[in-house]
Amino acid sequence: MKRRQFLRTAGLAATVSAVAKPAIAQSMPELRWRLTSSFPKSLDTIYGAGEAFANAVAQASDNKFQIQVFAAGEIVPGLQAADAVQSGTVEMCHTASYYYFGKDPTFTFGTAVPFGLNSRMQTAWMYFGGGMELMNDFYQKFNIFALPAGNTGAQMGGWFRKEIKEVSDLNGLKMRIGGFAGRVIAKLGVVPQQIAGGDIYPALEKGTLDACEWVGPYDDEKLGFQKVAQFYYYPGWWEGGPMLHNFINLEKWNALPRAYKSLISTASSMANEWMQARYDAANPAALKRLVAAGAQLRPFPPAVMDASLRAALDLYAEVGNANADFKKAWEAMLAFRNDQYLWWQVAELTYDSYLVRNRSRT
Amino acid sequence: MKRREFLKVAGTAMVASSVAAPAIAQSAPTIRWRLTASWPKSLDTLFGACETFAKHVSEATDNKFQIQTFAAGEIVPGLQALDAVQNGTVEIGHTATYYYIGKDPTWALFCAVPFGLNTRQQNAWFYDGDGMQLMNDFCKKYGVYALVGGNTGAQMGGWFRKEIKTVDDLKGLKFRIGGWAGQTLQKLGVVPQQIAGGDIYPALEKGTIDAAEWVGPYDDEKLGFQKVAPYYYYPGWWEGGTAQHFLINQAKWDELPKSYQAIVASAAGLANVEETARYDARNPAALKRLVASGSQLRPFPQAVMEACLHASNEVNAETSASNPDYKKVLDSMQAFRNDEYLWWQVAEFSYDAFMIRTRTRSCLHDPDPDAIVTAFTGPWRGAGAHDR
């Protein structure tokens, strides 16, 4: 929602409530919701964002509004969280929108598209760049209202059994890579594989899989990939700043009292910030441990990056020609991104660049 | 707060309230607070964080907890927000704590110090490192409780009437610069000036000062500096991710029901997210307009950056030697920073660097990409050179 509209709506609501203020019992009713997470409890950073959100809502409402959090699989499988919200099986879920690219690739823009926004830019786009408005217009078709609720930061490019030195090394490579990025990288000859987290390690070990991407150091470390695929590539160009969302059943959202809508909004934004902070704080030590355990860091060669960018742009053009929602979201995000990086190169990147090179000198 | 503590506190609150749930009238009392900001309303990104905060506290409590926001000067001057909270004149303030270095330079470490944390790192240190614990231990001496409530992102290095080509060009330079960075720049011969926002333009025009730093494109544009000091330097190495805080009178905080404390904490979190998002969303267009109206972007020369880092290290060593609080907080922040940048250079930095280099290659709808690239030739090359 744009700031101006946001304030206008808020002002209107304030006026209404002053005229016809509901009794306390109505404005803060006892309410119990179920939240299905797309993640297992072992991914404590992502799953934890759902818990932190629910705790904040409970505390702020004196426990009158209680949201019970369920791990993936407890109510529905992780990749069916949006369906459960749409059908009203649960009131809400904590998920990554790009899991649903099979329903419509436009879902991808809520979380991350290859060569999209970084973490801060994604938040800026959502809150003040028209992103939340645009995506919620789209989600309406699925009976869903979404709020940003977490970000991992730029992810890693994953674990490879052999080094990638040129574009042709990707040809025939069996890589576990999720979602829409698989369609981009398939253009370069990669054979994308959909494998659940727990099955990746044995597949890499046996060699039925050549590479896999997961998240970043903190989560990857738990799965031990460095023992069977030591080359750890960066950056994960398909996930520059993937954002998680709270998806809420639209009717349930509309039926909430104003105070509870406000609680859900603030608690979601807190989860958004908290999850990024948690990853940022946990990744450095994990990276050090991974390197000490034999992981070999490798940047993707420039030619691979360039070929991947070209493949992504080709795919966006193809999909956009057939899907007006996708085209609209891509154009909006692209314009925002290009302006963002115009500015980013000035103060942010030069600051980071200097500190990266000189960090150990103080 | 650390995650474990966060969950623990949350759990305790739940148990306590189910055992002895207070009546609604007690747990949701009618309360009115006054918030004094360190900003004028014209700095709508900073002041906007206060408004966002107050609006959500009010909404979440069905207007029972109302916080009235006042601009700098309406109750107390902007630089006295801490004092007003400490002595109970107001219940809460929104401020940049490096304004209070005269009381103790340790305050600067929670806001921004030269070569400190960037925005995300600052949040990670506060929320998930030791930052907030250290800050609130320190704040006890002043009878205030702190919550993070905003961040500007990396700032610009400011506006200069003449180019800075060597370290010697800094000697005798009269530079309007706020906060703790003045100590560092003094070592290089700069004469720091404390001048209020509205007085900077005439001083630059007359030449009574040679340079001025303010915030970044969105805020700087309003003051029109490019007309009198066209060289716009970057990065603002003294403000890599400047944090703002809500400071709350400790006794007033302690009096709040648990639910109101939770609402205030969540609303402060939202203010933090929204302030950075607003700056991030608005800075690019402002930068384009500034360049179109004659600003000339310049990176600080590497030799200048080196000399500043060296001087900053001296200031930190000297201050740490005589101030144990400063040393304790600095050591925590620097250890955190060094680890952060070890990781940052891998995924984040390499992603951003690639996106900057190839930005225009998917620039399908820019009306005149060539004009923009030309305008940014300096930083474009500068960024590339830093990277490789």
Side-chain angles (χ1 to χ4, degrees):
Chain A
M1 194 181 297
K2 293 202 175 142
R3 176 177 150 70
R4 196 162 301 171
Q5 283 176 284
F6 186 70
L7 291 177
R8 204 192 305 142
T9 310
L12 187 64
T15 310
V16 170
S17 100
V19 171
K21 195 174 174 180
I24 287 168
Q26 290 167 328
S27 64
M28 300 235 177
E30 297 273 349
L31 207 53
R32 279 179 174 277
W33 275 15
R34 298 195 306 170
L35 179 157
T36 186
S37 173
S38 285
F39 311 98
K41 288 184 185 170
S42 57
L43 289 177
D44 59 340
T45 320
I46 311 190
Y47 180 83
E51 280 186 325
F53 160 79
N55 277 328
V57 171
Q59 283 189 313
S61 66
D62 250 336
N63 297 319
K64 284 197 284 291
F65 189 0
Q66 299 225 13
I67 299 172
Q68 198 177 354
V69 181
F70 294 88
E74 291 186 335
I75 300 175
V76 292
L79 303 186
Q80 291 170 28
D83 305 76
V85 172
Q86 189 179 355
S87 66
T89 304
V90 294
E91 289 80 5
M92 67 182 296
C93 70
H94 186 243
T95 192
S97 70
Y98 62 14
Y99 289 154
Y100 314 104
F101 81 102
K103 296 180 195 297
D104 187 322
T106 311
F107 269 102
T108 313
F109 291 98
T111 295
V113 291
F115 304 103
L117 303 166
N118 74 16
S119 176
R120 258 172 63 186
M121 293 172 188
Q122 181 78 9
T123 295
W125 185 52
M126 283 290 162
Y127 281 87
F128 297 105
M132 223 189 289
E133 207 171 36
L134 184 141
M135 291 310 293
N136 272 323
D137 279 351
F138 167 75
Y139 295 141
Q140 255 183 4
K141 295 183 181 177
F142 301 86
N143 200 31
I144 284 168
F145 175 77
L147 289 165
N151 202 306
T152 65
Q155 297 196 3
M156 290 294 284
W159 301 86
F160 292 70
R161 284 162 54 95
K162 291 187 185 154
E163 281 191 85
I164 302 298
K165 293 187 170 163
E166 48 201 338
V167 179
S168 60
D169 290 341
L170 295 174
N171 206 20
L173 194 87
K174 292 191 289 295
M175 181 171 182
R176 185 270 172 202
I177 180 167
F180 198 59
R183 290 185 59 186
V184 173
I185 206 165
K187 284 185 175 283
L188 303 175
V190 169
V191 186
Q193 313 277 315
Q194 302 282 352
I195 304 181
D199 300 330
I200 302 174
Y201 185 97
L204 275 176
E205 194 175 28
K206 279 182 220 145
T208 51
L209 195 64
D210 304 307
C212 77
E213 65 89 37
W214 189 238
V215 182
Y218 180 71
D219 291 330
D220 292 6
E221 186 188 20
K222 295 173 192 162
L223 299 179
F225 300 135
Q226 77 281 359
K227 291 175 223 152
V228 285
Q230 61 178 334
F231 299 105
Y232 197 20
Y233 274 86
Y234 64 88
W237 46 260
W238 49 92
E239 306 195 71
M243 178 176 265
L244 289 301
H245 286 85
N246 280 329
F247 276 2
I248 303 167
N249 178 285
L250 191 55
E251 285 109 40
K252 293 286 180 186
W253 170 256
N254 287 336
L256 282 183
R258 188 176 72 110
Y260 284 2
K261 281 185 181 167
S262 175
L263 288 186
I264 295 251
S265 301
T266 51
S268 296
S269 76
M270 208 183 73
N272 194 44
E273 193 92 307
W274 177 88
M275 181 175 141
Q276 184 62 76
R278 180 83 187 109
Y279 269 112
D280 286 344
N283 274 327
L287 182 68
K288 284 200 233 179
R289 289 190 299 267
L290 285 169
V291 169
Q296 297 202 34
L297 287 167
R298 292 284 184 280
F300 283 121
V304 170
M305 292 294 287
D306 287 344
S308 303
L309 173 60
R310 207 169 308 120
L313 295 175
D314 287 349
L315 182 67
Y316 301 157
E318 287 161 28
V319 177
N321 281 338
N323 183 327
D325 285 334
F326 184 94
K327 187 164 190 285
K328 186 177 164 193
W330 165 239
E331 288 179 355
M333 200 216 70
L334 179 68
F336 190 81
R337 188 205 68 185
N338 288 350
D339 266 8
Q340 285 293 305
Y341 273 113
L342 181 80
W343 155 238
W344 202 268
Q345 71 185 307
V346 181
E348 292 289 344
L349 192 90
T350 57
Y351 187 81
D352 285 340
S353 169
Y354 189 78
L355 269 292
V356 161
R357 284 177 292 128
N358 295 285
R359 77 189 164 82
S360 54
R361 289 180 48 205
T362 50
Chain B
M1 196 181 299
K2 291 196 175 154
R3 175 180 148 71
R4 199 159 298 171
E5 284 175 77
F6 181 80
L7 293 175
K8 204 192 304 155
V9 174
T12 313
M14 271 196 211
V15 174
S17 98
S18 64
V19 171
I24 285 166
Q26 291 167 326
S27 66
T30 299
I31 295 182
R32 280 179 172 277
W33 275 12
R34 298 196 305 169
L35 180 155
T36 188
S38 287
W39 341 103
K41 288 184 183 167
S42 58
L43 290 177
D44 58 350
T45 341
L46 292 162
F47 194 78
C50 305
E51 290 179 320
T52 296
F53 168 77
K55 181 171 73 68
H56 277 272
V57 170
S58 168
E59 275 183 9
T61 58
D62 255 333
N63 302 321
K64 285 197 284 293
F65 188 1
Q66 300 226 12
I67 298 174
Q68 198 178 353
T69 52
F70 293 90
E74 291 188 330
I75 299 175
V76 293
L79 304 186
Q80 290 171 27
L82 168 61
D83 308 72
V85 173
Q86 191 179 357
N87 67 27
T89 304
V90 295
E91 290 81 6
I92 182 169
H94 187 251
T95 192
T97 60
Y98 61 17
Y99 290 152
Y100 311 107
I101 51 174
K103 298 178 196 292
D104 189 326
T106 308
W107 281 112
L109 290 160
F110 304 116
C111 178
V113 292
F115 306 103
L117 303 166
N118 74 16
T119 298
R120 267 173 52 188
Q121 296 165 358
Q122 183 84 279
N123 282 327
W125 184 56
F126 282 135
Y127 291 124
D128 212 81
D130 296 330
M132 224 48 238
Q133 188 64 54
L134 286 168
M135 182 170 192
N136 274 317
D137 284 350
F138 178 75
C139 279
K140 279 188 187 136
K141 295 186 180 181
Y142 297 81
V144 299
Y145 179 76
L147 290 165
V148 192
N151 201 302
T152 63
Q155 298 196 4
M156 291 293 284
W159 301 87
F160 291 71
R161 284 163 53 97
K162 292 187 184 153
E163 283 192 85
I164 301 297
K165 292 184 171 166
T166 66
V167 179
D168 280 346
D169 291 340
L170 296 174
K171 284 220 173 76
L173 193 87
K174 292 189 290 292
F175 187 20
R176 186 272 169 203
I177 181 164
W180 188 229
Q183 299 285 322
T184 293
L185 282 165
Q186 261 177 344
K187 288 186 178 282
L188 302 172
V190 169
V191 187
Q193 311 278 314
Q194 303 284 348
I195 304 181
D199 300 331
I200 301 173
Y201 185 95
L204 271 178
E205 193 176 28
K206 279 182 219 148
T208 50
I209 60 172
D210 304 304
E213 65 89 38
W214 188 239
V215 181
Y218 180 72
D219 289 336
D220 290 7
E221 187 188 19
K222 294 175 190 161
L223 298 178
F225 299 138
Q226 77 279 4
K227 292 176 222 152
V228 284
Y231 300 105
Y232 197 19
Y233 274 86
Y234 64 88
W237 45 263
W238 50 92
E239 307 201 54
T242 309
Q244 285 76 51
H245 289 85
F246 292 102
L247 298 182
I248 303 168
N249 181 285
Q250 181 77 53
K252 293 289 175 184
W253 172 255
D254 292 341
E255 280 170 18
L256 287 183
K258 282 268 179 285
S259 62
Y260 281 15
Q261 287 183 349
I263 286 167
V264 166
S266 289
L270 178 70
N272 189 21
V273 173
E274 287 204 359
E275 188 191 303
T276 304
R278 276 200 191 101
Y279 270 116
D280 286 347
R282 294 173 181 180
N283 272 327
L287 183 67
K288 284 200 232 178
R289 290 190 298 267
L290 285 169
V291 169
S293 68
S295 307
Q296 298 200 37
L297 286 164
R298 292 284 184 279
F300 283 120
Q302 287 302 299
V304 170
M305 295 291 287
E306 293 295 305
C308 293
L309 175 61
H310 186 70
S312 166
N313 286 343
E314 282 179 12
V315 170
N316 282 332
E318 289 158 17
T319 313
S320 292
S322 62
N323 185 330
D325 283 334
Y326 188 90
K327 182 177 188 330
K328 186 176 167 190
V329 180
L330 178 75
D331 287 351
S332 164
M333 189 275 283
Q334 286 191 336
F336 194 84
R337 183 201 63 190
N338 292 352
D339 266 8
E340 283 296 308
Y341 272 111
L342 180 81
W343 155 239
W344 205 267
Q345 68 186 313
V346 180
E348 291 292 342
F349 187 80
S350 65
Y351 185 79
D352 286 338
F354 180 80
M355 295 309 296
I356 284 167
R357 285 196 307 273
T358 60
R359 184 183 69 84
T360 49
R361 284 178 42 200
S362 45
C363 200
L364 306 175
H365 303 280
D366 215 313
D368 188 2
D370 289 342
I372 291 165
V373 172
T374 307
F376 284 85
T377 297
W380 185 274
R381 288 188 183 147
H386 292 317
D387 171 45
R388 294 285 178 240

